[in-house]
Amino acid sequence: MGSAERPHRTAVTNVRVFDGRQLLPLGTVVMEGGRIGASGVADEVIDGAGGVLMPGLIDAHVHLHDRHTLELLTGFGVTTALDMACAPPELVGSLRSVPGLTDIRSAGTPAVAPGSMHSRIPVTGQRGLIAGPDQAARFVADRIAEGSDYIKIIVGNPGPSHDQATLDALTAAARERSKLTVAHASSYEAVEMAQRARVNVLTHVPLDKALDETAAAAAVADGRILIPTLAIMEGVVAQSAPPGAGYAAARRSVTVMYRAGVPILAGTDANAAVGVPAAISHGASLHHELELLVDAGLSPLDALRAATSRPAHYFGLADRGVIEPGRRADLVLIDGNPLRDITATRSIRRIWCGGVEVVPAGLPR
């Protein structure tokens, strides 16, 4: 390819690069053809003025609704979102690979127990009904045929739940098809059931009783990861929980799991559906989630990794999550040093999603 045919090359100079692993000295990052490029003559030079350039953020637990959902996420620097329930498949398909907007992966339709609260959710609740272990293999095969990237299981509790045999069958069927399983488990009992079923990922943390060293040891032994979604756990307590319910168990669960060495990923459960236990905004909430993770004991460095390199690694997204040549040009330029003060991620100056510059939405400090 001759020089006249090469893609437009943009250089962002004078930036401290958080590459998804560590903060590097002042340097330059080049974008070319939607990817991070090698150094070379640039067509456009942007002075980063000493700001921090990070990989685009990854929210590891959202619920998609429409194109506006993607626009909200992108405007807050969330360039990848892992959707944890969205249907029908045609809707999910319409939200994939939209140029200049948040790139998605999706569970599609989750596995739902008959009679449970989730069974009353429009579309996904009825599509996902599975009444026993004999239906597990077909459920997983159907999701894969529809394009689901991983398998979501609503474990339940409080309220009706899948029995242990059904959970075991679902995780076994997904394992046979090389798909990760993600378990919605928001009580201590549900976490115990999910761990016995050998799920790969726990999402949410209990409000009824904090996870303890026993639960953490089980997670470590199986190489399990945790997406605690503290933003919605805090929101449920504030918006819909019965009197006397508190946030302390959720916060303590993260502290215990993190200290034990369980990998923590940042996810929010952002959802704008009517009737949800807590309304959590798309995009803005991930910055609050990072602050809650630090409050629960994560170092600012690990909180940043939880929203960049770690979700990319654990969900097999090899083309993003770090800043290095060949990766997607998903970039966020901020003021301040988030390794000293995690709230600096709110001070967004510029955003690029797949090399396309996006107007920041603006975040309150």
Side-chain angles (χ1 to χ4, degrees):
M1 180 183 290
S3 59
E5 298 173 293
R6 68 168 175 78
H8 184 86
R9 183 180 290 158
T10 301
V12 185
T13 65
N14 192 26
V15 285
R16 295 169 293 169
V17 176
F18 173 70
D19 67 356
R21 306 181 184 98
Q22 60 186 328
L23 187 64
L24 304 174
L26 281 173
T28 296
V29 172
V30 174
M31 290 177 278
E32 183 176 359
R35 299 278 168 176
I36 306 297
S39 59
V41 177
D43 303 295
E44 178 185 7
V45 177
I46 296 170
D47 183 1
V52 170
L53 190 68
M54 311 186 301
L57 298 172
I58 301 174
D59 190 330
H61 188 140
V62 306
H63 293 280
L64 300 171
H65 304 300
D66 49 27
R67 183 186 175 98
H68 181 58
T69 309
L70 302 183
E71 293 169 348
L72 286 172
L73 290 163
T74 309
F76 290 104
V78 181
T79 57
T80 300
L82 305 183
D83 170 69
M84 290 300 170
C86 183
E90 295 77 16
L91 173 59
V92 178
S94 74
L95 300 177
R96 292 186 185 270
S97 304
V98 181
L101 291 180
T102 300
D103 193 41
I104 70 161
R105 299 294 184 273
S106 179
T109 299
V112 177
S116 66
M117 177 186 73
H118 287 80
S119 71
R120 298 192 292 271
I121 296 175
V123 186
T124 59
Q126 292 303 305
R127 282 179 52 84
L129 290 180
I130 172 170
D134 59 315
Q135 299 176 10
R138 178 62 183 269
F139 175 87
V140 171
D142 286 348
R143 299 295 78 75
I144 293 173
E146 291 170 355
S148 293
D149 298 291
Y150 35 85
I151 304 300
K152 174 78 175 293
I153 304 168
I154 308 297
V155 178
N157 296 314
S161 170
H162 292 299
D163 59 29
Q164 191 67 53
T166 302
L167 294 176
D168 293 348
L170 284 164
T171 56
R175 199 157 43 242
E176 288 177 5
R177 303 295 294 271
S178 300
K179 289 293 183 182
L180 291 176
T181 47
V182 180
H184 166 111
S186 57
S187 71
Y188 192 93
E189 181 185 357
V191 171
E192 286 187 315
M193 294 177 68
Q195 296 219 92
R196 284 197 295 269
R198 295 179 57 208
V199 300
N200 301 111
V201 184
L202 296 168
T203 189
H204 308 309
V205 280
L207 291 174
D208 60 336
K209 175 184 174 183
L211 298 177
D212 52 23
E213 286 72 13
T214 300
V220 170
D222 284 345
R224 196 161 293 115
I225 65 177
L226 174 65
I227 309 171
T229 65
L230 289 176
I232 197 165
M233 308 320 291
E234 179 190 58
V236 167
V237 170
Q239 298 178 37
S240 64
Y247 171 73
R251 181 180 184 274
R252 175 64 182 166
S253 294
V254 174
T255 304
V256 170
M257 298 288 266
Y258 175 64
R259 288 176 178 172
V262 177
I264 307 292
L265 308 187
T268 62
D269 203 7
N271 194 327
V274 175
V276 294
I280 304 298
S281 61
H282 290 84
S285 60
L286 185 58
H287 298 267
H288 184 51
E289 183 73 21
L290 296 179
E291 294 157 14
L292 292 174
L293 290 175
V294 170
D295 175 68
L298 271 68
S299 68
L301 176 60
D302 278 334
L304 289 174
R305 289 170 174 166
T308 54
S309 55
R310 284 189 175 153
H313 171 72
Y314 287 106
F315 278 83
L317 307 178
D319 63 342
R320 69 198 69 192
V322 297
I323 298 176
E324 62 184 27
R327 307 288 183 124
R328 276 176 57 99
D330 293 338
L331 300 168
V332 180
L333 179 62
I334 64 172
D335 291 318
N337 183 350
L339 294 179
R340 293 180 181 171
D341 178 3
I342 195 64
T343 66
T345 66
R346 294 175 175 270
S347 299
I348 297 174
R349 273 201 265 148
R350 304 183 82 151
I351 300 165
W352 293 268
C353 186
V356 177
E357 186 158 13
V358 178
V359 177
L363 273 158
R365 291 291 291 175

Short mmCIF file of all heavy atoms in Angstrom, two decimals, residues 11-17 24-30 46-51 53:
data_model
loop_
_atom_site.label_atom_id
_atom_site.label_comp_id
_atom_site.label_asym_id
_atom_site.label_seq_id
_atom_site.Cartn_x
_atom_site.Cartn_y
_atom_site.Cartn_z
N ALA A 11 -1.81 11.42 15.84
CA ALA A 11 -0.90 11.24 16.97
C ALA A 11 -1.38 12.08 18.15
O ALA A 11 -1.63 13.28 18.00
CB ALA A 11 0.52 11.65 16.59
N VAL A 12 -1.54 11.43 19.29
CA VAL A 12 -1.87 12.15 20.53
C VAL A 12 -0.56 12.23 21.32
O VAL A 12 -0.05 11.21 21.79
CB VAL A 12 -2.95 11.41 21.33
CG1 VAL A 12 -3.36 12.24 22.55
CG2 VAL A 12 -4.17 11.13 20.46
N THR A 13 -0.04 13.43 21.42
CA THR A 13 1.27 13.62 22.02
C THR A 13 1.15 14.15 23.46
O THR A 13 0.09 14.58 23.90
CB THR A 13 2.10 14.63 21.19
OG1 THR A 13 1.46 15.91 21.24
CG2 THR A 13 2.21 14.18 19.75
N ASN A 14 2.29 14.09 24.16
CA ASN A 14 2.39 14.71 25.49
C ASN A 14 1.33 14.15 26.44
O ASN A 14 0.63 14.90 27.11
CB ASN A 14 2.27 16.24 25.36
CG ASN A 14 2.66 16.96 26.64
OD1 ASN A 14 3.44 16.44 27.45
ND2 ASN A 14 2.10 18.14 26.83
N VAL A 15 1.22 12.83 26.47
CA VAL A 15 0.27 12.18 27.38
C VAL A 15 0.99 11.14 28.23
O VAL A 15 1.94 10.50 27.80
CB VAL A 15 -0.88 11.48 26.61
CG1 VAL A 15 -1.86 12.50 26.08
CG2 VAL A 15 -0.37 10.59 25.50
N ARG A 16 0.51 11.01 29.47
CA ARG A 16 0.91 9.88 30.31
C ARG A 16 -0.06 8.75 30.00
O ARG A 16 -1.28 8.93 30.14
CB ARG A 16 0.86 10.26 31.79
CG ARG A 16 1.86 11.34 32.19
CD ARG A 16 1.58 11.86 33.58
NE ARG A 16 0.30 12.58 33.62
CZ ARG A 16 -0.31 12.96 34.74
NH1 ARG A 16 0.23 12.67 35.92
NH2 ARG A 16 -1.44 13.62 34.70
N VAL A 17 0.45 7.64 29.58
CA VAL A 17 -0.38 6.54 29.10
C VAL A 17 -0.59 5.52 30.22
O VAL A 17 0.37 4.94 30.74
CB VAL A 17 0.25 5.85 27.88
CG1 VAL A 17 -0.59 4.65 27.46
CG2 VAL A 17 0.38 6.84 26.72
N LEU A 24 2.57 4.91 32.35
CA LEU A 24 3.85 5.11 31.70
C LEU A 24 4.23 6.59 31.69
O LEU A 24 3.38 7.45 31.88
CB LEU A 24 3.79 4.57 30.27
CG LEU A 24 3.36 3.10 30.12
CD1 LEU A 24 3.20 2.74 28.65
CD2 LEU A 24 4.37 2.19 30.81
N PRO A 25 5.50 6.90 31.44
CA PRO A 25 5.92 8.31 31.34
C PRO A 25 5.28 8.99 30.13
O PRO A 25 4.63 8.35 29.30
CB PRO A 25 7.45 8.20 31.18
CG PRO A 25 7.83 6.84 31.64
CD PRO A 25 6.65 5.97 31.33
N LEU A 26 5.51 10.31 30.05
CA LEU A 26 4.97 11.07 28.93
C LEU A 26 5.39 10.44 27.61
O LEU A 26 6.54 10.03 27.43
CB LEU A 26 5.46 12.51 28.99
CG LEU A 26 4.75 13.45 29.98
CD1 LEU A 26 5.47 14.79 30.03
CD2 LEU A 26 3.29 13.65 29.58
N GLY A 27 4.45 10.39 26.69
CA GLY A 27 4.75 9.80 25.38
C GLY A 27 3.69 10.16 24.37
O GLY A 27 2.89 11.08 24.55
N THR A 28 3.65 9.38 23.27
CA THR A 28 2.75 9.61 22.15
C THR A 28 2.06 8.31 21.78
O THR A 28 2.66 7.24 21.81
CB THR A 28 3.53 10.14 20.93
OG1 THR A 28 4.09 11.42 21.26
CG2 THR A 28 2.64 10.28 19.71
N VAL A 29 0.77 8.40 21.46
CA VAL A 29 0.01 7.25 20.95
C VAL A 29 -0.54 7.62 19.58
O VAL A 29 -1.09 8.70 19.38
CB VAL A 29 -1.14 6.88 21.90
CG1 VAL A 29 -2.05 5.82 21.27
CG2 VAL A 29 -0.59 6.38 23.23
N VAL A 30 -0.36 6.70 18.63
CA VAL A 30 -0.79 6.93 17.25
C VAL A 30 -2.00 6.06 16.94
O VAL A 30 -2.06 4.88 17.31
CB VAL A 30 0.36 6.61 16.27
CG1 VAL A 30 -0.12 6.71 14.82
CG2 VAL A 30 1.55 7.53 16.51
N ILE A 46 -2.46 15.92 18.06
CA ILE A 46 -3.27 16.44 19.15
C ILE A 46 -2.39 16.51 20.38
O ILE A 46 -1.81 15.49 20.80
CB ILE A 46 -4.48 15.54 19.43
CG1 ILE A 46 -5.41 15.53 18.20
CG2 ILE A 46 -5.24 15.98 20.68
CD1 ILE A 46 -6.50 14.48 18.28
N ASP A 47 -2.28 17.69 20.98
CA ASP A 47 -1.48 17.87 22.19
C ASP A 47 -2.31 17.45 23.39
O ASP A 47 -3.32 18.09 23.71
CB ASP A 47 -1.03 19.33 22.31
CG ASP A 47 -0.12 19.56 23.52
OD1 ASP A 47 0.18 18.58 24.25
OD2 ASP A 47 0.28 20.72 23.73
N GLY A 48 -1.89 16.39 24.06
CA GLY A 48 -2.61 15.91 25.23
C GLY A 48 -2.38 16.73 26.48
O GLY A 48 -3.04 16.49 27.50
N ALA A 49 -1.46 17.68 26.43
CA ALA A 49 -1.23 18.64 27.52
C ALA A 49 -1.02 17.97 28.87
O ALA A 49 -1.48 18.45 29.90
CB ALA A 49 -2.39 19.64 27.61
N GLY A 50 -0.31 16.84 28.86
CA GLY A 50 0.04 16.19 30.12
C GLY A 50 -1.07 15.36 30.74
O GLY A 50 -0.92 14.87 31.86
N GLY A 51 -2.19 15.19 30.03
CA GLY A 51 -3.28 14.38 30.56
C GLY A 51 -2.96 12.90 30.54
O GLY A 51 -1.91 12.48 30.04
N LEU A 53 -3.96 9.23 29.16
CA LEU A 53 -4.67 8.54 28.09
C LEU A 53 -4.87 7.08 28.51
O LEU A 53 -3.90 6.37 28.77
CB LEU A 53 -3.89 8.62 26.78
CG LEU A 53 -4.62 8.15 25.52
CD1 LEU A 53 -5.78 9.09 25.19
CD2 LEU A 53 -3.66 8.05 24.34
#
